[in-house]
Amino acid sequence: MFGLGLPELGIVAVVAILIFGPKKIPELGNALGKTLRSFKDGIGQSDDEAAQKEKDKDRDEEGKPGD
């Protein structure tokens, strides 16, 4: 995971606890999870919209008379 080993992750966790405090860490994790979930949903919706536009484009081209 980005070249981080167990000692590095431990140091990051200790620094986070020192900065935010042990009571705030679960709230930050919850907010991060919600943010990532909404980002993932947004990416999925844009893919769905792109696929729908492609289908509409194909349908419009089929309806036009050929040469």
Side-chain angles (χ1 to χ4, degrees):
M1 182 171 142
F2 306 113
L4 294 177
L6 192 57
E8 291 87 1
L9 291 176
I11 292 171
V12 169
V14 168
V15 170
I17 289 172
L18 289 174
I19 293 174
F20 298 111
K23 292 182 181 178
K24 193 75 170 174
I25 296 291
E27 295 174 18
L28 293 173
N30 190 12
L32 180 63
K34 287 181 180 179
T35 301
L36 290 175
R37 189 176 310 118
S38 66
F39 179 75
K40 180 181 171 186
D41 291 343
I43 294 293
Q45 287 177 354
S46 67
D47 289 344
D48 292 343
E49 291 172 2
Q52 184 62 39
K53 286 180 183 179
E54 186 68 28
K55 286 180 184 178
D56 292 343
K57 180 181 170 186
D58 290 344
R59 189 175 341 121
D60 290 344
E61 289 176 357
E62 288 176 0
K64 293 180 182 178
D67 290 310

